[in-house]
Amino acid sequence: METILQAVDLCKVYGNGTAANKFVNLTVRRGEILGLVGENGAGKSTLMKVVYGEEPPSSGTLLLDGKSVRFGSSRDAIAAGIGMVHQHFMLVPSLTLAENLVLGREPRKKSGMYDLNRAVRIAEELSAKYNLRIIPRARVVDVSVSMRQKLEILKTLYRGARILILDEPTSVLTPQETDELFAELKALRDKGQTIIFISHKLGEVFQLCDRVTVMRDGAVIATHDIGDVDRQTISNEMVGREVRLTLDKKAAAPGGTALEVRDLSFVDDFGITMVDRVSFSLRKGEILGVVGVDGNGQSELVRILTGHARTLTGSVRKGGTDLTNASPRKVRKAGMAHVAEDRMTVGTALPASIADNLLADRYSEPAFTGGGFLRRSAIQAEAKGIVQRFDIRCSSPNQAVASLSGGNMQKVVIGREFTAAADVLVVSQPTRGVDIGAIEFIHRTILSMRDEGKAILLVSSDLGEVLSLSDSLIVMHSGKIVAWFPDASAVTDKELGLYMLGLKTQDEIEIRKVLHE
Amino acid sequence: MMEFLASVFGSSNYWFIVVRSTAPILLVTLGAVITEQAGIKNMALEGSMLWAALTGVLASAWTGSPWIGLAAGVAAGVAIALVLGLFALKLDANAVLVGIALNLLSTGGTVFVLFSITGDKGISSSLPSKVLPMVSVPLLRDIPWLGKVLSGQNLIVYLAAAAVVVIHVILNKLTIGRRIRATGENVEAARAAGIDPDRIKFFTLIVSGVLAGLAGCFLSMGYTSNFTSGISAGRGYVANAAQVVAGGTAVGSIFAALIFGVTDALATFLQSRGLPPELIQALPYAVTILGFVVVTLVRDRREAARKLRLFAGRDDR
């Protein structure tokens, strides 16, 4: 089969020095479905952004039909016949499906008026031609996610796409909808379309694709014909060797329940259920790890627990206090601390000083405020103490947080949250983008908090981190808890992977044991 | 009191004033609707009205023509909207803050210009400015009662009614209407479809400038026959609340503007009853805020119910 698209030694280095793509060589054949797999951060999305013209490559070439192309923007890529269905849909909710389909290339009547009837006819014709069933006159907000996705595919076809890129298209679909989509994609392929399917769900890749390319750490590791390879091989290539950090870790001595979480649910603005009746109990002196592929509800769960989002159902209780949909202030007052997943937006106030950030949750206490005025000297002393204890490298506590490196910024967050008067810690992505030295320090600190008897909920995309720190584990998939492991040290990455990818689910009774009732 | 109200609501004179009070607020509300649909808040409607009101008076006094006054006033209204666009869209400043800054500049600036020209800080009565004509509508004027309410209004009142149709057509019948909504609701989707969001936003700003310009000219060349300091009386701000009550539609704007018009006209009548005028004058604004709160609460409730339904629906499947 002939090659339609080829990337040769493609590199993409971002402004901050991150090499997201390292000498990537990719070949896409005309009329095939190529799977592109890899973990989060492996460089799949960056590669596709380059192909789709959203990001210019740092070096290397892109060949389309054997000719070198350079796209200044996605408009150039669209004109060249490349279409992309983003993970987050590019749709206008209050317009109808037909209106969305023709947006930017609208049919007009002779009078110059918008021709809605023709837009609907175009939608009906395309829908019939490609066998992607949509309701042209319905508004996007009123139709299912799977129909929105069909609409996105039709949009690319309306604009003349020959190569279709689908970025994790099944993450928002039910299994039945996924099967339907796959049948439709195969039909498209048989009509001559070329499809690039980005995923980290191996089962789907084997169900759908003709070939598969594996990426890890920004590089292409291997490409296989789907018939010549098994899941084990690919998952080994995807994960590589997980290096577990060795930590001096004593056995946990879990005590009574510190936080009771029952039946939480969250639906996002697009109507997608992100958290689906999640229940668990967090015990004193225990680190409960939350494992899952990014975007399976972990972030939303943390936001509900810490007062940043409202749950539709269920309750959160800490001791005798009801913290369901409580404000962040009330949550903190009740003795919960929160290491936010994004230190730049939620974790710190960047232009404020280190001292102000460290005391942001306690400046109003009598020790630091008297008669409506801040006690500057007490604040300075406290801040200096924390800076020293947490080894925050800075010239003075009055320096702006924005001027610190990522690792030291994170230590400011950790320093504040771990010295708060809290016995429950919700710790999210504690070492994301932090250098090795700081990672070790943060890990040791988390363990010492546990040994003091605090209850810790640990959410991290770094599987090695969760496995080495946690005492017990829950696995989340599509907003649900699909597994509970009472002893984290007895679980292997491979086994976890099956649950994370949704290939396996424990039965209800097993999962309910995490309630410790 | 009840008797008094009954006699007020029954009189064609009252409803004539309602229509007259509604027209300027309707025009600016339409302006707020179209910019909000494109995802930019035009807080400078107040400033556009002030400059239009003053410019209309000055130009009509100098040329002796109310029409040149109207054209100049509308141009002034558009100019303010374009300044907002320049700062908010091209220089990336916060649109609301720029809008408020422009309003403060306009409040002081119009009085400064008025004083420089007339020597009076309060009113332009020393200038021989013109007013726009009243229109007696054939056929309509012959309908009993209704004719007394709807005929014989100022020209701008009829332009306001026409503006509802024009904005409705722009938003619903023309291609650009779909693009305006796409830009306002999901700017990424619009950009991905090859639409230039800034161009769309500029277009809506110009339209809103024209509408605010018409409203401003009406205040100083119809509703009254002078420019007085602060003549817009916060209507540009009210429009941004009324826009929410209007639900982002041209037809809804009539309803939202009527809330203001009905209470504004009522205030005029109540003043004769010896109630404190400050309280009465606050009434239209208080009622608009109330409408805003009610509509927002209802909408939030509905959104929460929708999410719950979607969640429950998923379980059934």
PDB file of all heavy atoms in Angstrom, chain A residues 90-91 93-94 99 103-104 106 114 265 267 269 271 273 276-277, chain B residues 173 175 178-179 181-182 185-186 188-189 193 306-307 310-311 314-315:
ATOM      1  N   MET A  90     -15.432  20.664  19.202  1.00  0.00           N
ATOM      2  CA  MET A  90     -15.470  22.040  18.735  1.00  0.00           C
ATOM      3  C   MET A  90     -16.863  22.332  18.186  1.00  0.00           C
ATOM      4  O   MET A  90     -17.041  22.501  16.988  1.00  0.00           O
ATOM      5  CB  MET A  90     -14.427  22.240  17.631  1.00  0.00           C
ATOM      6  CG  MET A  90     -13.012  22.002  18.087  1.00  0.00           C
ATOM      7  SD  MET A  90     -12.482  23.340  19.158  1.00  0.00           S
ATOM      8  CE  MET A  90     -10.751  22.969  19.308  1.00  0.00           C
ATOM      9  N   LEU A  91     -17.835  22.364  19.082  1.00  0.00           N
ATOM     10  CA  LEU A  91     -19.216  22.546  18.637  1.00  0.00           C
ATOM     11  C   LEU A  91     -19.870  23.709  19.374  1.00  0.00           C
ATOM     12  O   LEU A  91     -19.446  24.084  20.454  1.00  0.00           O
ATOM     13  CB  LEU A  91     -20.018  21.262  18.902  1.00  0.00           C
ATOM     14  CG  LEU A  91     -19.552  20.022  18.147  1.00  0.00           C
ATOM     15  CD1 LEU A  91     -20.335  18.804  18.607  1.00  0.00           C
ATOM     16  CD2 LEU A  91     -19.697  20.206  16.646  1.00  0.00           C
ATOM     17  N   PRO A  93     -23.106  24.652  21.197  1.00  0.00           N
ATOM     18  CA  PRO A  93     -24.209  23.896  21.791  1.00  0.00           C
ATOM     19  C   PRO A  93     -25.603  24.346  21.372  1.00  0.00           C
ATOM     20  O   PRO A  93     -26.476  23.503  21.160  1.00  0.00           O
ATOM     21  CB  PRO A  93     -24.017  24.121  23.299  1.00  0.00           C
ATOM     22  CG  PRO A  93     -22.596  24.513  23.462  1.00  0.00           C
ATOM     23  CD  PRO A  93     -22.186  25.207  22.196  1.00  0.00           C
ATOM     24  N   SER A  94     -25.843  25.652  21.226  1.00  0.00           N
ATOM     25  CA  SER A  94     -27.220  26.091  20.995  1.00  0.00           C
ATOM     26  C   SER A  94     -27.607  26.042  19.518  1.00  0.00           C
ATOM     27  O   SER A  94     -28.758  26.253  19.178  1.00  0.00           O
ATOM     28  CB  SER A  94     -27.443  27.493  21.540  1.00  0.00           C
ATOM     29  OG  SER A  94     -26.971  28.454  20.623  1.00  0.00           O
ATOM     30  N   GLU A  99     -26.451  23.291  11.401  1.00  0.00           N
ATOM     31  CA  GLU A  99     -25.783  24.601  11.470  1.00  0.00           C
ATOM     32  C   GLU A  99     -24.325  24.452  11.866  1.00  0.00           C
ATOM     33  O   GLU A  99     -23.443  25.140  11.344  1.00  0.00           O
ATOM     34  CB  GLU A  99     -26.515  25.508  12.470  1.00  0.00           C
ATOM     35  CG  GLU A  99     -27.855  26.017  11.950  1.00  0.00           C
ATOM     36  CD  GLU A  99     -28.715  26.627  13.048  1.00  0.00           C
ATOM     37  OE1 GLU A  99     -28.520  26.281  14.235  1.00  0.00           O
ATOM     38  OE2 GLU A  99     -29.593  27.426  12.729  1.00  0.00           O
ATOM     39  N   LEU A 103     -20.910  25.440   9.576  1.00  0.00           N
ATOM     40  CA  LEU A 103     -20.348  26.675  10.153  1.00  0.00           C
ATOM     41  C   LEU A 103     -19.040  27.073   9.452  1.00  0.00           C
ATOM     42  O   LEU A 103     -18.125  26.274   9.319  1.00  0.00           O
ATOM     43  CB  LEU A 103     -20.090  26.476  11.652  1.00  0.00           C
ATOM     44  CG  LEU A 103     -19.681  27.733  12.430  1.00  0.00           C
ATOM     45  CD1 LEU A 103     -20.837  28.715  12.500  1.00  0.00           C
ATOM     46  CD2 LEU A 103     -19.226  27.365  13.828  1.00  0.00           C
ATOM     47  N   GLY A 104     -18.985  28.323   9.022  1.00  0.00           N
ATOM     48  CA  GLY A 104     -17.787  28.812   8.341  1.00  0.00           C
ATOM     49  C   GLY A 104     -17.852  28.627   6.836  1.00  0.00           C
ATOM     50  O   GLY A 104     -17.168  29.311   6.087  1.00  0.00           O
ATOM     51  N   GLU A 106     -21.158  28.343   5.021  1.00  0.00           N
ATOM     52  CA  GLU A 106     -22.609  28.233   5.049  1.00  0.00           C
ATOM     53  C   GLU A 106     -23.213  28.397   3.650  1.00  0.00           C
ATOM     54  O   GLU A 106     -22.763  29.221   2.874  1.00  0.00           O
ATOM     55  CB  GLU A 106     -23.201  29.313   5.959  1.00  0.00           C
ATOM     56  CG  GLU A 106     -22.726  29.258   7.407  1.00  0.00           C
ATOM     57  CD  GLU A 106     -21.469  30.062   7.678  1.00  0.00           C
ATOM     58  OE1 GLU A 106     -20.796  30.468   6.709  1.00  0.00           O
ATOM     59  OE2 GLU A 106     -21.154  30.290   8.854  1.00  0.00           O
ATOM     60  N   TYR A 114     -29.287  33.266   5.153  1.00  0.00           N
ATOM     61  CA  TYR A 114     -28.802  31.948   5.533  1.00  0.00           C
ATOM     62  C   TYR A 114     -29.795  30.899   5.045  1.00  0.00           C
ATOM     63  O   TYR A 114     -31.001  31.040   5.255  1.00  0.00           O
ATOM     64  CB  TYR A 114     -28.703  31.912   7.057  1.00  0.00           C
ATOM     65  CG  TYR A 114     -28.080  30.670   7.621  1.00  0.00           C
ATOM     66  CD1 TYR A 114     -26.701  30.578   7.729  1.00  0.00           C
ATOM     67  CD2 TYR A 114     -28.858  29.613   8.071  1.00  0.00           C
ATOM     68  CE1 TYR A 114     -26.113  29.450   8.271  1.00  0.00           C
ATOM     69  CE2 TYR A 114     -28.280  28.485   8.605  1.00  0.00           C
ATOM     70  CZ  TYR A 114     -26.908  28.409   8.709  1.00  0.00           C
ATOM     71  OH  TYR A 114     -26.333  27.299   9.238  1.00  0.00           O
ATOM     72  N   SER A 265     -21.328  12.246  42.756  1.00  0.00           N
ATOM     73  CA  SER A 265     -21.488  12.270  41.298  1.00  0.00           C
ATOM     74  C   SER A 265     -21.272  13.665  40.766  1.00  0.00           C
ATOM     75  O   SER A 265     -21.601  14.648  41.425  1.00  0.00           O
ATOM     76  CB  SER A 265     -22.894  11.830  40.887  1.00  0.00           C
ATOM     77  OG  SER A 265     -23.208  10.605  41.480  1.00  0.00           O
ATOM     78  N   VAL A 267     -21.507  15.883  36.926  1.00  0.00           N
ATOM     79  CA  VAL A 267     -21.747  15.939  35.481  1.00  0.00           C
ATOM     80  C   VAL A 267     -21.176  17.259  34.984  1.00  0.00           C
ATOM     81  O   VAL A 267     -21.455  18.311  35.564  1.00  0.00           O
ATOM     82  CB  VAL A 267     -23.261  15.862  35.169  1.00  0.00           C
ATOM     83  CG1 VAL A 267     -23.516  16.043  33.683  1.00  0.00           C
ATOM     84  CG2 VAL A 267     -23.824  14.524  35.635  1.00  0.00           C
ATOM     85  N   ASP A 269     -20.253  20.410  32.127  1.00  0.00           N
ATOM     86  CA  ASP A 269     -21.148  21.296  31.389  1.00  0.00           C
ATOM     87  C   ASP A 269     -21.607  20.705  30.061  1.00  0.00           C
ATOM     88  O   ASP A 269     -22.584  21.164  29.472  1.00  0.00           O
ATOM     89  CB  ASP A 269     -20.470  22.649  31.129  1.00  0.00           C
ATOM     90  CG  ASP A 269     -20.391  23.455  32.413  1.00  0.00           C
ATOM     91  OD1 ASP A 269     -21.169  23.160  33.333  1.00  0.00           O
ATOM     92  OD2 ASP A 269     -19.554  24.369  32.497  1.00  0.00           O
ATOM     93  N   GLY A 271     -22.584  17.691  29.869  1.00  0.00           N
ATOM     94  CA  GLY A 271     -23.502  16.617  30.193  1.00  0.00           C
ATOM     95  C   GLY A 271     -22.836  15.264  30.347  1.00  0.00           C
ATOM     96  O   GLY A 271     -23.498  14.239  30.386  1.00  0.00           O
ATOM     97  N   THR A 273     -20.940  12.461  32.439  1.00  0.00           N
ATOM     98  CA  THR A 273     -20.786  12.061  33.832  1.00  0.00           C
ATOM     99  C   THR A 273     -19.306  11.799  34.118  1.00  0.00           C
ATOM    100  O   THR A 273     -18.727  10.859  33.595  1.00  0.00           O
ATOM    101  CB  THR A 273     -21.627  10.802  34.113  1.00  0.00           C
ATOM    102  OG1 THR A 273     -22.982  11.106  33.803  1.00  0.00           O
ATOM    103  CG2 THR A 273     -21.522  10.396  35.564  1.00  0.00           C
ATOM    104  N   ASP A 276     -19.092   9.068  39.044  1.00  0.00           N
ATOM    105  CA  ASP A 276     -20.307   8.271  38.982  1.00  0.00           C
ATOM    106  C   ASP A 276     -20.475   7.458  40.269  1.00  0.00           C
ATOM    107  O   ASP A 276     -19.933   6.373  40.402  1.00  0.00           O
ATOM    108  CB  ASP A 276     -20.211   7.349  37.748  1.00  0.00           C
ATOM    109  CG  ASP A 276     -21.557   6.802  37.340  1.00  0.00           C
ATOM    110  OD1 ASP A 276     -22.521   6.978  38.098  1.00  0.00           O
ATOM    111  OD2 ASP A 276     -21.626   6.204  36.256  1.00  0.00           O
ATOM    112  N   ARG A 277     -21.221   8.012  41.223  1.00  0.00           N
ATOM    113  CA  ARG A 277     -21.514   7.328  42.488  1.00  0.00           C
ATOM    114  C   ARG A 277     -20.263   6.737  43.137  1.00  0.00           C
ATOM    115  O   ARG A 277     -20.144   5.529  43.299  1.00  0.00           O
ATOM    116  CB  ARG A 277     -22.550   6.239  42.267  1.00  0.00           C
ATOM    117  CG  ARG A 277     -23.851   6.787  41.691  1.00  0.00           C
ATOM    118  CD  ARG A 277     -24.996   5.824  41.798  1.00  0.00           C
ATOM    119  NE  ARG A 277     -26.164   6.369  41.115  1.00  0.00           N
ATOM    120  CZ  ARG A 277     -26.943   7.311  41.603  1.00  0.00           C
ATOM    121  NH1 ARG A 277     -26.698   7.822  42.791  1.00  0.00           N
ATOM    122  NH2 ARG A 277     -27.972   7.757  40.928  1.00  0.00           N
TER     123      ARG A 277
ATOM    124  N   LYS B 173     -31.502  35.120  10.729  1.00  0.00           N
ATOM    125  CA  LYS B 173     -31.730  34.835   9.310  1.00  0.00           C
ATOM    126  C   LYS B 173     -30.462  34.970   8.462  1.00  0.00           C
ATOM    127  O   LYS B 173     -30.440  34.529   7.327  1.00  0.00           O
ATOM    128  CB  LYS B 173     -32.800  35.776   8.743  1.00  0.00           C
ATOM    129  CG  LYS B 173     -34.140  35.684   9.448  1.00  0.00           C
ATOM    130  CD  LYS B 173     -34.846  34.387   9.095  1.00  0.00           C
ATOM    131  CE  LYS B 173     -36.130  34.249   9.902  1.00  0.00           C
ATOM    132  NZ  LYS B 173     -36.641  32.882   9.878  1.00  0.00           N
ATOM    133  N   THR B 175     -26.250  34.615   7.734  1.00  0.00           N
ATOM    134  CA  THR B 175     -25.101  33.771   8.037  1.00  0.00           C
ATOM    135  C   THR B 175     -24.309  34.320   9.217  1.00  0.00           C
ATOM    136  O   THR B 175     -23.864  33.580  10.088  1.00  0.00           O
ATOM    137  CB  THR B 175     -24.191  33.706   6.791  1.00  0.00           C
ATOM    138  OG1 THR B 175     -24.938  33.128   5.737  1.00  0.00           O
ATOM    139  CG2 THR B 175     -22.973  32.858   7.066  1.00  0.00           C
ATOM    140  N   ARG B 178     -25.238  33.156  12.753  1.00  0.00           N
ATOM    141  CA  ARG B 178     -24.700  31.875  13.218  1.00  0.00           C
ATOM    142  C   ARG B 178     -23.258  32.048  13.667  1.00  0.00           C
ATOM    143  O   ARG B 178     -22.800  31.444  14.622  1.00  0.00           O
ATOM    144  CB  ARG B 178     -24.763  30.829  12.117  1.00  0.00           C
ATOM    145  CG  ARG B 178     -26.139  30.584  11.501  1.00  0.00           C
ATOM    146  CD  ARG B 178     -27.153  30.262  12.577  1.00  0.00           C
ATOM    147  NE  ARG B 178     -28.339  29.578  12.065  1.00  0.00           N
ATOM    148  CZ  ARG B 178     -29.360  30.184  11.465  1.00  0.00           C
ATOM    149  NH1 ARG B 178     -29.340  31.486  11.282  1.00  0.00           N
ATOM    150  NH2 ARG B 178     -30.405  29.487  11.059  1.00  0.00           N
ATOM    151  N   ARG B 179     -22.542  32.891  12.925  1.00  0.00           N
ATOM    152  CA  ARG B 179     -21.125  33.093  13.276  1.00  0.00           C
ATOM    153  C   ARG B 179     -20.996  33.876  14.583  1.00  0.00           C
ATOM    154  O   ARG B 179     -20.073  33.641  15.362  1.00  0.00           O
ATOM    155  CB  ARG B 179     -20.418  33.815  12.136  1.00  0.00           C
ATOM    156  CG  ARG B 179     -20.412  32.967  10.868  1.00  0.00           C
ATOM    157  CD  ARG B 179     -19.644  33.606   9.740  1.00  0.00           C
ATOM    158  NE  ARG B 179     -19.569  32.669   8.621  1.00  0.00           N
ATOM    159  CZ  ARG B 179     -18.802  32.850   7.564  1.00  0.00           C
ATOM    160  NH1 ARG B 179     -18.051  33.944   7.468  1.00  0.00           N
ATOM    161  NH2 ARG B 179     -18.782  31.957   6.602  1.00  0.00           N
ATOM    162  N   ARG B 181     -23.109  33.714  17.075  1.00  0.00           N
ATOM    163  CA  ARG B 181     -23.385  32.780  18.164  1.00  0.00           C
ATOM    164  C   ARG B 181     -22.238  31.815  18.373  1.00  0.00           C
ATOM    165  O   ARG B 181     -21.885  31.487  19.510  1.00  0.00           O
ATOM    166  CB  ARG B 181     -24.676  32.023  17.896  1.00  0.00           C
ATOM    167  CG  ARG B 181     -25.825  32.638  18.678  1.00  0.00           C
ATOM    168  CD  ARG B 181     -27.123  32.370  18.029  1.00  0.00           C
ATOM    169  NE  ARG B 181     -27.649  31.048  18.396  1.00  0.00           N
ATOM    170  CZ  ARG B 181     -28.816  30.615  17.919  1.00  0.00           C
ATOM    171  NH1 ARG B 181     -29.513  31.364  17.090  1.00  0.00           N
ATOM    172  NH2 ARG B 181     -29.257  29.430  18.275  1.00  0.00           N
ATOM    173  N   ALA B 182     -21.648  31.355  17.292  1.00  0.00           N
ATOM    174  CA  ALA B 182     -20.506  30.441  17.412  1.00  0.00           C
ATOM    175  C   ALA B 182     -19.371  31.127  18.162  1.00  0.00           C
ATOM    176  O   ALA B 182     -18.754  30.548  19.062  1.00  0.00           O
ATOM    177  CB  ALA B 182     -20.043  29.999  16.030  1.00  0.00           C
ATOM    178  N   GLU B 185     -20.339  31.471  21.925  1.00  0.00           N
ATOM    179  CA  GLU B 185     -20.522  30.265  22.718  1.00  0.00           C
ATOM    180  C   GLU B 185     -19.280  29.404  22.801  1.00  0.00           C
ATOM    181  O   GLU B 185     -19.003  28.788  23.832  1.00  0.00           O
ATOM    182  CB  GLU B 185     -21.649  29.412  22.126  1.00  0.00           C
ATOM    183  CG  GLU B 185     -23.001  29.796  22.640  1.00  0.00           C
ATOM    184  CD  GLU B 185     -24.047  28.814  22.146  1.00  0.00           C
ATOM    185  OE1 GLU B 185     -23.857  27.607  22.310  1.00  0.00           O
ATOM    186  OE2 GLU B 185     -25.046  29.278  21.576  1.00  0.00           O
ATOM    187  N   ASN B 186     -18.544  29.307  21.720  1.00  0.00           N
ATOM    188  CA  ASN B 186     -17.355  28.461  21.716  1.00  0.00           C
ATOM    189  C   ASN B 186     -16.367  29.038  20.712  1.00  0.00           C
ATOM    190  O   ASN B 186     -16.372  28.696  19.533  1.00  0.00           O
ATOM    191  CB  ASN B 186     -17.726  27.023  21.344  1.00  0.00           C
ATOM    192  CG  ASN B 186     -16.556  26.069  21.494  1.00  0.00           C
ATOM    193  OD1 ASN B 186     -15.406  26.497  21.630  1.00  0.00           O
ATOM    194  ND2 ASN B 186     -16.831  24.789  21.462  1.00  0.00           N
ATOM    195  N   GLU B 188     -13.330  28.656  20.250  1.00  0.00           N
ATOM    196  CA  GLU B 188     -12.431  27.691  19.611  1.00  0.00           C
ATOM    197  C   GLU B 188     -13.112  27.020  18.412  1.00  0.00           C
ATOM    198  O   GLU B 188     -12.493  26.802  17.373  1.00  0.00           O
ATOM    199  CB  GLU B 188     -11.986  26.627  20.617  1.00  0.00           C
ATOM    200  CG  GLU B 188     -10.992  27.129  21.653  1.00  0.00           C
ATOM    201  CD  GLU B 188      -9.801  27.821  21.005  1.00  0.00           C
ATOM    202  OE1 GLU B 188      -9.270  27.304  20.009  1.00  0.00           O
ATOM    203  OE2 GLU B 188      -9.411  28.910  21.490  1.00  0.00           O
ATOM    204  N   ALA B 189     -14.389  26.698  18.602  1.00  0.00           N
ATOM    205  CA  ALA B 189     -15.145  26.083  17.512  1.00  0.00           C
ATOM    206  C   ALA B 189     -15.238  27.041  16.330  1.00  0.00           C
ATOM    207  O   ALA B 189     -15.100  26.642  15.177  1.00  0.00           O
ATOM    208  CB  ALA B 189     -16.534  25.684  17.988  1.00  0.00           C
ATOM    209  N   ALA B 193     -13.545  26.670  12.576  1.00  0.00           N
ATOM    210  CA  ALA B 193     -14.361  26.692  11.358  1.00  0.00           C
ATOM    211  C   ALA B 193     -13.914  27.801  10.414  1.00  0.00           C
ATOM    212  O   ALA B 193     -14.582  28.080   9.430  1.00  0.00           O
ATOM    213  CB  ALA B 193     -15.831  26.868  11.729  1.00  0.00           C
ATOM    214  N   ARG B 306     -31.200  19.975  34.616  1.00  0.00           N
ATOM    215  CA  ARG B 306     -30.798  19.320  33.375  1.00  0.00           C
ATOM    216  C   ARG B 306     -29.664  18.328  33.631  1.00  0.00           C
ATOM    217  O   ARG B 306     -29.675  17.203  33.146  1.00  0.00           O
ATOM    218  CB  ARG B 306     -30.333  20.366  32.358  1.00  0.00           C
ATOM    219  CG  ARG B 306     -30.035  19.812  30.973  1.00  0.00           C
ATOM    220  CD  ARG B 306     -29.601  20.900  30.020  1.00  0.00           C
ATOM    221  NE  ARG B 306     -28.225  21.316  30.250  1.00  0.00           N
ATOM    222  CZ  ARG B 306     -27.162  20.765  29.642  1.00  0.00           C
ATOM    223  NH1 ARG B 306     -27.337  19.817  28.775  1.00  0.00           N
ATOM    224  NH2 ARG B 306     -25.948  21.167  29.914  1.00  0.00           N
ATOM    225  N   LYS B 307     -28.672  18.772  34.442  1.00  0.00           N
ATOM    226  CA  LYS B 307     -27.536  17.896  34.744  1.00  0.00           C
ATOM    227  C   LYS B 307     -27.990  16.646  35.481  1.00  0.00           C
ATOM    228  O   LYS B 307     -27.545  15.543  35.208  1.00  0.00           O
ATOM    229  CB  LYS B 307     -26.503  18.644  35.583  1.00  0.00           C
ATOM    230  CG  LYS B 307     -25.641  19.558  34.742  1.00  0.00           C
ATOM    231  CD  LYS B 307     -24.490  20.101  35.536  1.00  0.00           C
ATOM    232  CE  LYS B 307     -23.638  20.984  34.659  1.00  0.00           C
ATOM    233  NZ  LYS B 307     -22.591  21.658  35.419  1.00  0.00           N
ATOM    234  N   LEU B 310     -29.577  14.335  33.069  1.00  0.00           N
ATOM    235  CA  LEU B 310     -28.581  13.654  32.242  1.00  0.00           C
ATOM    236  C   LEU B 310     -27.923  12.534  33.026  1.00  0.00           C
ATOM    237  O   LEU B 310     -27.674  11.458  32.507  1.00  0.00           O
ATOM    238  CB  LEU B 310     -27.516  14.655  31.783  1.00  0.00           C
ATOM    239  CG  LEU B 310     -27.942  15.552  30.622  1.00  0.00           C
ATOM    240  CD1 LEU B 310     -26.974  16.706  30.472  1.00  0.00           C
ATOM    241  CD2 LEU B 310     -28.006  14.758  29.343  1.00  0.00           C
ATOM    242  N   PHE B 311     -27.649  12.811  34.309  1.00  0.00           N
ATOM    243  CA  PHE B 311     -27.004  11.811  35.153  1.00  0.00           C
ATOM    244  C   PHE B 311     -27.934  10.632  35.366  1.00  0.00           C
ATOM    245  O   PHE B 311     -27.556   9.481  35.207  1.00  0.00           O
ATOM    246  CB  PHE B 311     -26.606  12.433  36.485  1.00  0.00           C
ATOM    247  CG  PHE B 311     -25.956  11.456  37.412  1.00  0.00           C
ATOM    248  CD1 PHE B 311     -24.696  10.964  37.113  1.00  0.00           C
ATOM    249  CD2 PHE B 311     -26.591  11.030  38.547  1.00  0.00           C
ATOM    250  CE1 PHE B 311     -24.089  10.052  37.955  1.00  0.00           C
ATOM    251  CE2 PHE B 311     -25.993  10.122  39.395  1.00  0.00           C
ATOM    252  CZ  PHE B 311     -24.738   9.633  39.097  1.00  0.00           C
ATOM    253  N   ARG B 314     -28.346   8.409  32.340  1.00  0.00           N
ATOM    254  CA  ARG B 314     -27.240   7.511  32.088  1.00  0.00           C
ATOM    255  C   ARG B 314     -27.418   6.198  32.829  1.00  0.00           C
ATOM    256  O   ARG B 314     -27.043   5.136  32.337  1.00  0.00           O
ATOM    257  CB  ARG B 314     -25.961   8.193  32.545  1.00  0.00           C
ATOM    258  CG  ARG B 314     -24.714   7.683  31.880  1.00  0.00           C
ATOM    259  CD  ARG B 314     -23.546   8.439  32.443  1.00  0.00           C
ATOM    260  NE  ARG B 314     -22.726   7.523  33.209  1.00  0.00           N
ATOM    261  CZ  ARG B 314     -21.561   7.074  32.776  1.00  0.00           C
ATOM    262  NH1 ARG B 314     -21.091   7.460  31.632  1.00  0.00           N
ATOM    263  NH2 ARG B 314     -20.852   6.251  33.496  1.00  0.00           N
ATOM    264  N   ASP B 315     -28.004   6.301  34.010  1.00  0.00           N
ATOM    265  CA  ASP B 315     -28.175   5.105  34.827  1.00  0.00           C
ATOM    266  C   ASP B 315     -29.168   4.128  34.203  1.00  0.00           C
ATOM    267  O   ASP B 315     -29.016   2.925  34.326  1.00  0.00           O
ATOM    268  CB  ASP B 315     -28.681   5.509  36.213  1.00  0.00           C
ATOM    269  CG  ASP B 315     -27.557   5.458  37.222  1.00  0.00           C
ATOM    270  OD1 ASP B 315     -26.395   5.332  36.770  1.00  0.00           O
ATOM    271  OD2 ASP B 315     -27.824   5.531  38.422  1.00  0.00           O
TER     272      ASP B 315
END
